[in-house]
Amino acid sequence: LHCTVATSISLSLLTRNMCRKYIAWLLRVKRVELLSVVVLTSLTWYMVFYQPHCLKRDMQMDYLQNEIVALSRRYVDDWLEGERRLYWKLTSGLGQSRPLLAKGKPFPPTLTLALENLYSALHQLETWLLGGFSANCSVTVLHEMINQDLNNIMHQQNALNQDWIVYLENLSILSKDWKLLYPSCSEKITWMESNWRKYACYGELGVDETRCSIFTYLSQRERQCPLIWRQQSQHTDDDVQPLLLPLQQNISRLHASMNDNAQNYKWMKERMMSTWSDWSEAYSWLKRNRRHLLSKKQLTILVHMGFLTKASGFKFGENAFTGGPLGELVQWSDMITTLHFFGHRLLISSESSTLKSTLLQYSSSSNSFCGALTGDEPDLIFTDIIGMDQIRRINANFYSKFKCRLRVLDSFGTQAQFNYAPYFKAHSAQLGKDNPWGGHSLKVGQFFTFYPHSPDNSFLGFVVKRHKDVKPRVERKNIALLYGKNAYWNDFTKVLDSIKDLVEIHATVNPDDQHLLPSYVVNHGVLDSDQFNLLSREAKIFLGLGFPYEGPAPLEAVANGLVFINPKFSAPKSRLNETFFAKKPTLRQLKSQNSYMEDFIGEPYVFTVDISDGPALRAAVKQALQAEFQPYVPWEFTAEGMLERVAYYFLHQDFCEPDHLPLNISQLRIYVGESGASCSDTCSKHGLFCESSFFSLINLRSVVARFSLCPEFATVADLHPPSFSQNVCFLQENQHLLNCASESSRDIQRICPCRSFKPGQIALCKAC
């Protein structure tokens, strides 16, 4: 027996030495062909997984780990060296030490990039494996990850001629910055090694003394480590029939769930009633044309409107019929209607006491020490910033455990520098001292905005009703209908004086404020939506006075066939120079009263002009009176557009999975910005839209090095990485600071992930 074992070991070692000589011969080849790499990999794996079983398992696994990493590094090193020698030879006449990409263009296709990413990933994996968890677990991980990735490369046809994006799409581990996406993974593993026995729930969920079990738990249960190997579900999404709801579903069922404060819901219920037929038609359209987006299971969704609670002090519900702000009520009404048509179970509250009762239903799951979810929790939580704070105060454990399920309605948006509290604190002198609405450290995509303000946030929007009985403009009177808050109108007498001979001026001011208006203004008092629409159809112009900022009324006016005269500001307004924005968590600058109308619609529906410039205003009014067009509503503000957009979010957004991508990676296009430019502006310059979820794919040395010589790399927690200056290339250290909107200093160029977008539906790519 001893002789047999010794002979087997000797043969194994001899075979291994012969294979090593063969590998060494291959590595001397100037340029290894793709097939050779795959053959070499297969031989390596054959040796690795068919070692003599008489060796001690732990010693064997330690040896194999080192063998895998060493051999992998050697053949990738040689491959890259051969490629670089070839490039240097081809470009030596151009005076370049290595080929550089022309700024502003995607880099050329080459298999080298795929293997260079493999090389970079091996360095990461080496750290994980050789200092990591149990040997059996680590070898399994390495085998599954690298072998699968190399097979994906092998199966690509015409590899050298295809776009490099194809490779990144198929390299499951190589295009991710694991440390950035899972910053607490190593720390959590170490903590659990010492503490898992103290809490019975860990053992019940499969944790034992091995690091492999801990890693598996943190990966599959708490999502604090990469989900490297996935449990296969028994059914694919294609096997599940979409949840198709009967159209006769009664609105009374929805209204019955809105019952904790009648005053809070009165205006919203009236809006739902007036638009219900539009929603029914839109849902029928979705079933016919975008059936694959329909919900595949019923979700439980907690909906809490903190801005309506008595504790907020805002009194939105009470003031809705007396000239108070309506934008928030419009958006919440449309969002709740959308969720209802998708057939989800809604737990709606507009008072803190109702919220508290709702959260009591989940006290057992939220109080469990283990972070794993039981399946009895709300699938999503729609709220606002006030509501988010109320949830945290009522049940901090619930908030912490389900934070990734939050969807926060945030009219003006939240930027990264205000979202991440440590960064704001360190830069408050430049950003402004107050940040009462920021500092929540969510993913910026969890903030849902009124208009598509920023690529970093998710655009939720609202619905503008399309009217079928709009009077042609040629039959209308020369009436200008004023749009502005009461308290501001007294300052615009000169503006109105300059055009009173061109148009008849009408207003809808509370009778108590009649004294603020010039005597020649015809005031109709506060009107409901139907009355206001009737008045709008008699007028030709909707004249903005500069405030409120970015409300829904201008879109509704254009839908009724009016021209919106959009006041242009002499200097952009932001939190640095405008009291209204002073505490809002954004540095976004408004060039006019409604930037969406200016940037996305324009003439003949919108004329943006400085209304304090009398001659310019008169010229705009004359043009507006002569303009002929059909009423217009952008697709993204129709009921169909909102259903389509929200349905896509439900299927593709997942903020609980750090490395989840809401879009197919084939949509990624990389561009280098000009010095100081934001990625939003850079992508827009190329007719594209910045996609912040793709930053994790380009925050890699191998990608950044394609755009600069990079004599030095620095990993920093700042707003501009990935980026480069003349002497340094920067990588992002903190995922909370990845963003599209921030500009950089004048000596830094940002590297930007862009994508296409659908005309009229900017939240979705063309192929979505």
Side-chain angles (χ1 to χ4, degrees), residues 30-223:
K30 183 175 181 180
R31 187 179 182 193
V32 183
E33 295 297 331
L34 177 61
L35 184 59
S36 300
V37 174
V38 177
V39 170
L40 174 59
T41 305
S42 302
L43 287 171
T44 303
W45 285 111
Y46 178 83
M47 291 188 298
V48 164
F49 288 99
Y50 292 92
Q51 295 292 322
H53 294 288
C54 58
L55 296 175
K56 280 189 176 181
R57 186 173 186 82
D58 288 345
M59 293 177 60
Q60 179 187 16
M61 290 300 182
D62 288 342
Y63 170 77
L64 296 182
Q65 291 170 36
N66 285 281
E67 190 80 352
I68 291 168
V69 174
L71 288 174
S72 299
R73 183 189 295 123
R74 286 181 61 196
Y75 71 67
V76 175
D77 267 338
D78 193 78
W79 174 284
L80 294 176
E81 184 59 31
E83 289 287 324
R84 289 191 178 107
R85 284 199 299 268
L86 178 62
Y87 278 141
W88 290 336
K89 181 177 180 180
L90 293 175
T91 60
S92 59
L94 302 177
Q96 294 177 305
S97 60
R98 61 178 292 183
L100 292 178
L101 175 69
K103 291 181 175 59
K105 297 182 179 179
F107 41 81
T110 171
L111 184 59
T112 302
L113 179 67
L115 290 176
E116 192 165 0
N117 274 294
L118 174 59
Y119 181 55
S120 175
L122 284 170
H123 280 294
Q124 295 185 45
L125 288 173
E126 182 178 16
T127 303
W128 277 47
L129 298 175
L130 301 185
F133 32 97
S134 76
N136 184 46
C137 184
S138 57
V139 169
T140 302
V141 172
L142 188 61
H143 176 269
E144 180 164 339
M145 295 168 77
I146 296 182
N147 199 38
Q148 177 182 350
D149 287 334
L150 287 175
N151 284 335
N152 284 334
I153 296 177
M154 178 185 69
H155 290 142
Q156 292 296 331
Q157 299 297 318
N158 303 317
L160 293 174
N161 296 321
Q162 291 193 14
D163 194 300
W164 71 277
I165 294 292
V166 174
Y167 302 113
L168 290 183
E169 183 176 12
N170 287 291
L171 300 180
S172 60
I173 62 165
L174 309 186
S175 55
K176 302 289 178 64
D177 185 340
W178 298 115
K179 185 177 179 181
L180 177 77
L181 294 171
Y182 297 88
S184 61
C185 178
S186 299
E187 180 181 341
K188 186 69 174 180
I189 289 175
T190 302
W191 181 90
M192 285 194 64
E193 283 183 312
S194 303
N195 296 281
W196 72 271
R197 290 182 178 85
K198 298 178 183 178
Y199 306 96
C201 55
Y202 286 125
E204 294 168 359
L205 293 169
V207 177
D208 56 32
E209 67 276 1
T210 65
R211 271 200 165 193
C212 187
S213 69
I214 292 173
F215 186 89
T216 302
Y217 168 82
L218 292 174
S219 170
Q220 296 181 351
R221 297 282 188 170
E222 293 195 13
R223 302 295 197 262

Side-chain angles (χ1 to χ4, degrees), residues 216-364:
T216 302
Y217 168 82
L218 292 174
S219 170
Q220 296 181 351
R221 297 282 188 170
E222 293 195 13
R223 302 295 197 262
Q224 295 201 46
C225 291
L227 196 60
I228 291 177
W229 60 95
R230 300 175 183 268
Q231 295 175 327
Q232 297 296 322
S233 60
Q234 295 181 349
H235 303 284
T236 65
D237 284 346
D238 293 336
D239 297 328
V240 182
Q241 290 297 316
L243 180 65
L244 299 178
L245 301 177
L247 283 182
Q248 62 267 28
Q249 189 177 29
N250 201 306
I251 192 174
S252 60
R253 177 183 160 205
L254 173 58
H255 286 179
S257 64
M258 305 165 68
N259 59 7
D260 61 349
N261 185 317
Q263 185 66 54
N264 284 344
Y265 299 122
K266 184 178 180 181
W267 191 93
M268 297 172 66
K269 288 182 178 181
E270 288 188 7
R271 176 175 173 82
M272 291 174 180
M273 289 288 292
S274 67
T275 58
W276 196 256
S277 61
D278 298 306
W279 286 105
S280 296
E281 292 177 10
Y283 189 76
S284 295
W285 174 88
L286 194 71
K287 286 200 301 182
R288 291 192 307 271
N289 299 284
R290 304 284 276 164
R291 182 185 178 92
H292 65 284
L293 294 178
L294 290 173
S295 302
K296 293 178 172 57
K297 68 174 183 176
Q298 186 182 53
L299 305 180
T300 296
I301 302 177
L302 194 158
V303 178
H304 178 62
M305 292 163 277
F307 77 107
L308 287 178
T309 60
K310 292 184 178 69
S312 73
F314 286 137
K315 300 183 178 180
F316 276 82
E318 295 178 31
N319 297 330
F321 297 95
T322 58
L326 299 178
E328 288 82 358
L329 294 174
V330 167
Q331 187 175 48
W332 276 98
S333 171
D334 294 348
M335 190 274 294
I336 291 172
T337 304
T338 297
L339 301 183
H340 178 72
F341 265 88
F342 287 152
H344 300 307
R345 175 174 173 253
L346 306 183
L347 305 176
I348 302 174
S349 59
S350 67
E351 291 296 349
S352 301
S353 57
T354 313
L355 172 66
K356 188 173 183 179
S357 298
T358 301
L359 295 184
L360 282 175
Q361 301 177 33
Y362 304 105
S363 58
S364 59

Side-chain angles (χ1 to χ4, degrees), residues 450-516:
F450 201 66
Y451 281 100
H453 302 308
S454 166
D456 297 319
N457 302 144
S458 298
F459 166 50
L460 177 60
F462 55 94
V463 168
V464 176
K465 186 176 178 64
R466 288 177 289 189
H467 303 281
K468 300 176 182 178
D469 54 347
V470 176
K471 181 184 293 187
R473 286 180 56 82
V474 70
E475 299 178 14
R476 301 184 183 206
K477 301 175 182 178
N478 289 347
I479 292 176
L481 186 58
L482 296 183
Y483 172 49
K485 287 295 181 183
N486 301 2
Y488 291 79
W489 289 0
N490 196 40
D491 299 330
F492 287 94
T493 300
K494 290 183 179 179
V495 172
L496 303 183
D497 285 345
S498 68
I499 61 170
K500 66 181 182 180
D501 62 317
L502 299 176
V503 289
E504 188 177 304
I505 302 174
H506 290 234
T508 55
V509 179
N510 190 312
D512 294 339
D513 297 317
Q514 177 78 43
H515 63 281
L516 297 174

Side-chain angles (χ1 to χ4, degrees), residues 753-768:
C754 308
R755 64 161 170 86
S756 64
F757 62 89
K758 285 186 176 182
Q761 185 72 293
I762 198 168
L764 305 185
C765 67
K766 286 184 178 179
C768 293

Side-chain angles (χ1 to χ4, degrees), residues 513-577:
D513 297 317
Q514 177 78 43
H515 63 281
L516 297 174
L517 300 175
S519 59
Y520 51 79
V521 174
V522 180
N523 184 31
H524 299 265
V526 178
L527 305 178
D528 62 28
S529 58
D530 291 335
Q531 293 171 327
F532 185 81
N533 285 332
L534 289 174
L535 176 60
S536 297
R537 293 169 200 174
E538 296 296 326
K540 286 189 175 182
I541 293 174
F542 195 55
L543 176 60
L545 296 179
F547 189 87
Y549 303 122
E550 299 183 318
L555 274 174
E556 294 168 348
V558 171
N560 273 305
L562 284 78
V563 171
F564 175 51
I565 293 186
N566 184 30
K568 180 180 180 180
F569 303 137
S570 56
K573 295 183 183 292
S574 72
R575 67 178 274 132
L576 301 180
N577 63 2

